[in-house]
Amino acid sequence: MDIDPEYYVQGVRSGNRKALAKTITLIESSLPKHQDLISRVLDQLLPFTGKSVRLGITGVPGVGKSTFIEALGMNLVERHHRVAILAVDPSSTQSGGSIMGDKTRMEKLSVHKNAFIRPSPAGGTLGGVSRKTRESLLVCEAAGFDVIIIETVGVGQSEVSVASMVDFFLLLMLAGAGDDLQGIKRGILELADAIAVNKADGDNFERAMQAKNIYTEAMHLFSPDTVDWSPPVLTCSSLNMDGIEEVWETVLDHHGKLSATGALEQKRKKQALAWMRTLLEDGLKDWFYYLPVVKKSLPKLTRAVERGETTPTAAVKMILNFLNN
Ligand SMILES: Nc1nc2c(ncn2[C@@H]2O[C@H](COP(=O)(O)OP(=O)(O)O)[C@@H](O)[C@H]2O)c(=O)[nH]1
Ligand SMILES: [Mg+2]
């Protein structure tokens, strides 16, 4: 591992893919010396970030996320965009990289010179994976990628995390599951800036159109969180490359509108502050549990609560009091 921050900063800025990959590897390292190094690198790269369209994509496994990203990504790189694809997938710990283990679905994109695909880092908590993805996003921006796509699976908490690091959050859905909304939680619908009903092709076309109407009605139940945007419902076929262009137009329309009013800048600022708060709270927790006095007294107090010798309130008060001494 190179220890000179300049190597990474210059390498990333000059579009050296090897340096970019090594910088992300550094982000993924948990060694304190690597973390010190990477924070210096990130500080120097920060002035060159912020110029991309940040697009998050979610949907249940099998909805066609990878196929969609291949279709959209190819469409973009052929028009000379530079596209980076990252993933947030905490489950990849068990499955060995479930989201983009299937690079086969991104066959053309994965070898294109204007594309960069990085699977979710294996191991770690959602918080850890999210931090790595956020920092990788910044590095990709500094490397000149002007579209960053972040993929996540539509199960669990990772959507919330992805929605809080992108400008536009796209929910892919399927037709035919009726009004049960396929186990997509209501909370995820509320995060979406658009829904695209995928696989609108062949026998499925009519059903996709019906689903579009059902979802459009469902979306009307929410009051939009900005005056600038109400989330539309679209249809597409990633397989036939139908409707992909419309989805991208929608993303650009949103970007244009929010940029013009200053809402985009506000959104990113809010995201950065919320993220800072999360990091601070996580850091405090880590720091707290590593304190010798906590390590020593917590097991005893836990047992005391178990045995009914003291109340949880009294036990916590006692631990927190140790901190004042
Ligand atoms: N008919 C049809 N099949 C599709 C479409 N998009 C994806 N698929 C198929 O759906 C399956 C799952 O796609 P994949 O992209 O791996 O889904 P992911 O799990 O959401 O990433 C694959 O067999 C794809 O070929 C589409 O637009 N139309
Ligand atoms: Mg996939």
Side-chain angles (χ1 to χ4, degrees):
M1 209 32 102
D2 218 300
I3 51 145
D4 180 10
E6 275 313 296
Y7 165 81
Y8 300 97
V9 175
Q10 295 308 329
V12 166
R13 289 289 295 139
S14 65
N16 177 336
R17 299 177 74 92
K18 203 169 150 201
L20 172 62
K22 279 171 94 173
T23 306
I24 295 180
T25 303
L26 206 56
I27 288 173
E28 291 170 356
S29 164
S30 51
L31 291 181
K33 68 173 180 185
H34 289 163
Q35 295 199 348
D36 287 346
L37 180 56
I38 194 62
S39 61
R40 279 188 288 156
V41 172
L42 287 172
D43 273 347
Q44 289 189 54
L45 289 177
L46 206 58
F48 307 104
T49 65
K51 293 191 191 71
S52 78
V53 174
R54 303 170 177 174
L55 170 62
I57 296 185
T58 193
V60 294
V63 70
K65 293 179 295 297
S66 303
T67 314
F68 178 87
I69 292 170
E70 165 88 357
L72 174 62
M74 283 311 291
N75 192 323
L76 292 173
V77 293
E78 276 164 7
R79 287 184 288 169
H80 308 291
H81 284 288
R82 297 187 63 216
V83 182
I85 295 133
L86 308 169
V88 171
D89 181 12
S91 69
S92 67
T93 323
Q94 291 106 38
S95 55
S98 64
I99 282 197
M100 284 189 278
D102 59 345
K103 263 197 188 179
T104 44
R105 298 234 195 281
M106 300 188 206
E107 220 167 29
K108 285 190 277 173
L109 197 58
S110 60
V111 294
H112 197 285
K113 67 173 179 13
N114 285 343
F116 177 79
I117 302 181
R118 184 81 176 197
S120 192
T125 57
L126 174 59
V129 174
S130 298
R131 176 188 66 78
K132 291 165 189 173
T133 310
R134 268 170 205 275
E135 292 176 355
S136 303
L137 180 151
L138 294 176
V139 171
C140 288
E141 284 184 342
F145 289 91
D146 62 338
V147 180
I148 319 275
I149 301 176
I150 303 181
E151 178 184 354
T152 191
V153 279
V155 286
Q157 276 294 303
S158 57
E159 303 83 348
V160 179
S161 165
V162 171
S164 73
M165 64 177 87
V166 296
D167 305 325
F168 192 100
F169 194 56
L170 174 67
L171 172 60
L172 290 185
M173 301 272 277
L174 293 173
D179 49 10
D180 70 348
L181 299 177
Q182 302 152 34
I184 293 276
K185 284 176 238 73
R186 193 192 153 90
I188 294 170
L189 285 179
E190 281 179 88
L191 294 173
D193 294 300
I195 291 178
V197 182
N198 191 34
K199 306 197 187 182
D201 48 45
D203 294 345
N204 213 27
F205 185 80
E206 279 308 317
R207 292 198 303 156
M209 293 301 151
Q210 287 161 11
K212 175 182 163 157
N213 293 334
I214 294 172
Y215 299 149
T216 303
E217 257 172 58
M219 291 305 273
H220 281 319
L221 300 176
F222 307 127
S223 48
D225 69 355
T226 67
V227 288
D228 309 281
W229 190 254
S230 36
V233 182
L234 309 160
T235 57
C236 64
S237 166
S238 307
L239 212 57
N240 299 347
M241 305 269 268
D242 277 341
I244 305 297
E245 185 67 35
E246 283 75 7
V247 175
W248 180 243
E249 292 293 330
T250 303
V251 174
L252 289 184
D253 184 29
H254 174 270
H255 226 257
K257 282 187 175 136
L258 269 65
S259 298
T261 61
L264 186 67
E265 203 187 329
Q266 280 304 319
K267 181 172 183 164
R268 287 182 172 183
K269 216 176 262 178
K270 259 169 87 179
Q271 289 176 335
L273 291 175
W275 179 237
M276 177 178 166
R277 205 188 160 84
T278 304
L279 285 180
L280 183 59
E281 284 167 10
D282 289 355
L284 274 176
K285 268 192 206 159
D286 288 347
W287 167 80
F288 175 81
Y289 286 112
Y290 277 105
L291 285 175
V293 62
V294 173
K295 275 188 165 167
K296 194 162 153 257
S297 54
L298 191 56
K300 282 187 214 158
L301 284 164
T302 305
R303 275 196 302 278
V305 171
E306 255 170 7
R307 293 193 192 119
E309 293 161 5
T310 185
T311 64
T313 309
V316 168
K317 216 175 224 167
M318 194 174 284
I319 297 180
L320 293 179
N321 273 339
F322 287 143
L323 299 182
N324 292 325
N325 301 327

